[in-house]
Amino acid sequence: MICPVCNESMIVLELNKVEIDYCTNCSGIWLDKGELALLYSVDESENDLQKLFAESSSVNEKSYKCPLCRKRMKKIQFNNSELVIDKCPDNHGLWFDKGELEKVLTLKSTASSQKILELLKDMFSYNKSQEAE
Ligand SMILES: [Zn+2]
Ligand SMILES: [Zn+2]
């Protein structure tokens, strides 16, 4: 998978048995459709989680293209917060800029999302020690 922001190849990371795509260049994260629900360990469809996101037309952030279909992604706002992420119009997945997935996991917190947050923190400290070598 190619990063929609910098067009670099992303690497696959495993978070609690969920495979996510991560860009080592910009620290962005791509979640395929359904993976956010998996991170929250929600068994049913993503519908309840999707309700937390509302389409936002008042955002001036640059928009990116879906890494799967290359269509321009929509800006969606998380739970009336300042947090805005990108979503493929054909629902292929969600794009989180650096730190945005952590914010979502913090704003809507469950036992499972807490665990993911810890894993993310571990990974990023791991990346830092690699850079120092
Ligand atoms: Zn990138
Ligand atoms: Zn798409």
Side-chain angles (χ1 to χ4, degrees):
M1 189 107 58
I2 300 295
C3 172
V5 177
C6 37
N7 292 315
E8 302 275 342
S9 286
M10 293 193 277
I11 60 167
V12 174
L13 293 177
E14 203 186 283
L15 275 183
N16 210 17
K17 303 200 176 88
V18 183
E19 286 188 351
I20 64 164
D21 293 277
Y22 171 73
C23 176
T24 54
N25 195 45
C26 67
S27 302
I29 289 173
W30 170 261
L31 293 183
D32 286 327
K33 182 185 183 218
E35 287 183 338
L36 186 62
L38 287 175
L39 292 180
Y40 277 110
S41 299
V42 185
D43 286 334
E44 68 265 36
S45 70
E46 258 192 336
N47 285 345
D48 285 343
L49 285 169
Q50 298 275 3
K51 280 180 203 147
L52 294 170
F53 296 95
E55 238 175 85
S56 174
S57 51
S58 59
V59 182
N60 284 322
E61 269 183 51
K62 190 176 185 296
S63 63
Y64 308 119
K65 287 178 183 156
C66 170
L68 293 178
C69 65
R70 309 302 296 165
K71 284 189 186 160
R72 203 158 278 284
M73 292 194 279
K74 293 175 181 170
K75 296 290 174 188
I76 54 171
Q77 203 174 0
F78 182 74
N79 218 3
N80 293 320
S81 70
E82 299 284 293
L83 187 60
V84 174
I85 64 171
D86 298 82
K87 182 188 177 192
C88 168
D90 288 346
N91 210 13
H92 287 123
L94 301 168
W95 173 254
F96 299 84
D97 285 325
K98 182 179 184 176
E100 288 180 345
L101 180 58
E102 289 94 315
K103 281 186 203 153
V104 168
L105 294 170
T106 307
L107 287 167
K108 178 176 165 52
S109 177
T110 64
S112 174
S113 76
Q114 294 271 334
K115 193 170 166 189
I116 301 293
L117 258 183
E118 291 303 314
L119 290 170
L120 280 171
K121 279 182 201 155
D122 283 354
M123 270 174 357
F124 293 134
S125 55
Y126 170 70
N127 284 344
K128 265 177 223 141
S129 61
Q130 265 198 330
E131 277 166 23
E133 275 167 18

